[in-house]
């Protein structure tokens, strides 16, 4: 499937600031960037950071007064959604080095606090079947509610409240997976059919020797998502990280079939 992607960010910068931008679709890892352009409409110093194929392409900016940027791309998505129940967990001693950090708790995903719940609720399942049960449990019990969480909300908060947005659903699934000793990371994606249209967040779990996208909101499918970036949790995959005060003026994201 080919996706036509466009995104625009318009921010006011209170004082000269260093910014990290992560909005470009990754090339590789089940997708191919056919055409893309990043247009900075306001003056800024730009430094691109080399990244692993299929992961992300961070861009560092130093800007004054305003950030006005537009991104467009055509991405061919070449991954199929696997049957989770058919995927086996990888024994811990056979995990590749890149997967090991995603076994551990992180700022927004305190997985160590979920061990007892995971064993009690999902202890009879293994591997991908356990992940599928976790995903279904979250989707059926949580309410998607815009504005119900903020930058300080973590998986434990969302678990208690039983509501949130895509980042909160992903945080809970990641925490549960790690509590079951299955590597899990967070991905930012451009996803077809997300409502409201925006940067979308979901989980990726390491099963049967590869990473697999799992969206606990139920709004997206792996074959209709273009990965932007991956990390331990929302702190690593933010589309814009500012090291000074910035104020949002306008932001838009659209994803269509190309």
């Amino acid at each position: 499937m080919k996706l036509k992607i466009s995104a625009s960010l318009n921010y006011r910068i209170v004082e000269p600031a260093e910014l990290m931008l992560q909005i470009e679709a990754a090339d590789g890892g089940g997708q191919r960037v056919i055409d893309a352009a990043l247009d900075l409409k306001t003056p800024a110093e730009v430094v691109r950071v080399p990244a692993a194929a299929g992961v992300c392409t961070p861009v560092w900016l130093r800007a004054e007064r305003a950030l006005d940027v537009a991104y467009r791309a055509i991405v061919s998505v070449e991954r199929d959604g696997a049957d989770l129940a058919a995927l086996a967990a990888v024994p811990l001693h056979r995990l590749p080095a890149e997967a090991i950090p995603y076994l551990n708790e992180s700022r927004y995903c305190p997985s160590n606090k979920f061990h007892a719940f995971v064993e009690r609720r999902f202890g009879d399942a293994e591997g991908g079947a356990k992940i599928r049960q976790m995903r279904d449990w979250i989707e059926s019990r949580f309410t998607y509610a815009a504005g119900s969480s903020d930058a300080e909300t973590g998986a434990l908060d969302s678990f208690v409240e039983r509501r949130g947005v895509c980042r909160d659903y992903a945080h809970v699934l990641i925490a549960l997976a790690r509590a079951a000793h299955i590597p899990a990371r967070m991905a930012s994606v451009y996803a077809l059919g997300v409502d409201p249209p925006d940067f979308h967040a979901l989980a990726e779990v390491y099963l049967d020797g590869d990473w697999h996208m799992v969206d606990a909101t139920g709004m997206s499918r792996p074959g209709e998502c273009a990965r932007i970036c991956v990390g331990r949790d929302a702190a690593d995959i933010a589309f814009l990280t500012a090291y000074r005060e910035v104020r949002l003026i306008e932001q838009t994201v659209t994803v269509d079939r190309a």
Side-chain angles (χ1 to χ4, degrees):
M1 173 179 288
K2 292 182 181 178
L3 299 178
K4 180 180 180 181
I5 296 161
S6 66
S8 65
L9 305 177
N10 191 346
Y11 282 77
R12 176 173 172 252
I13 300 175
V14 177
E15 57 182 308
E18 303 282 351
L19 312 167
M20 186 173 69
L21 191 66
Q22 298 184 120
I23 65 171
E24 295 180 283
D27 195 20
Q31 61 192 53
R32 179 168 52 91
V33 178
I34 297 172
D35 182 50
L38 184 68
D39 180 17
L40 289 170
K41 301 178 181 179
T42 48
E45 299 177 30
V46 179
V47 177
R48 289 185 175 275
V49 180
V55 178
C56 62
T57 307
V59 177
W60 280 99
L61 308 171
R62 180 170 176 79
E64 300 180 9
R65 294 186 294 278
L67 174 68
D68 190 356
V69 59
Y71 172 69
R72 62 166 183 80
I74 302 293
V75 180
S76 176
V77 180
E78 300 159 352
R79 75 176 65 85
D80 295 321
D83 178 8
L84 286 175
L87 301 176
V90 177
L92 295 182
H93 68 283
R94 294 188 179 278
L95 288 172
E98 57 127 344
I100 293 173
Y102 300 109
L103 284 170
N104 304 322
E105 63 178 0
S106 57
R107 174 181 174 182
Y108 292 111
C109 301
S111 50
N112 289 352
K113 292 180 170 58
F114 289 91
H115 286 303
F117 173 77
V118 165
E119 180 59 31
R120 182 174 68 254
R121 184 64 181 77
F122 307 108
D124 293 337
E126 298 291 338
K130 180 173 287 190
I131 295 296
R132 188 173 69 176
Q133 288 186 12
M134 292 173 178
R135 179 202 63 192
D136 292 348
W137 183 86
I138 296 168
E139 185 180 357
S140 66
R141 285 166 173 78
F142 281 51
T143 299
Y144 194 94
S148 60
S149 60
D150 57 29
E152 300 302 318
T153 304
L156 194 56
D157 304 308
S158 302
F159 179 83
V160 171
E161 294 291 332
R162 297 286 202 272
R163 61 178 182 170
V165 294
C166 59
R167 74 187 289 277
D168 306 307
Y169 281 62
H171 280 155
V172 175
L173 181 55
I174 290 166
L176 296 181
R178 291 176 186 170
H181 310 302
I182 295 173
R185 67 190 188 186
M186 196 167 187
S188 58
V189 302
Y190 291 109
L192 187 67
V194 170
D195 185 24
D198 204 346
F199 296 102
H200 193 54
L202 45 73
E204 293 189 345
V205 295
Y206 193 82
L207 295 165
D208 256 354
D210 204 357
W211 291 102
H212 300 273
M213 291 183 176
V214 186
D215 187 357
T217 71
M219 286 196 290
S220 70
R221 293 183 288 185
E224 298 176 349
C225 292
R227 183 189 297 109
I228 303 168
C229 195
V230 300
R232 294 164 297 176
D233 54 35
D236 291 341
I237 67 164
F239 58 85
L240 179 67
T241 302
Y243 293 88
R244 287 289 190 275
E245 184 182 356
V246 299
R247 297 175 184 172
L248 173 65
I249 298 174
E250 185 180 21
Q251 174 180 302
T252 63
V253 175
T254 61
V255 182
D256 299 300
R257 296 177 187 269

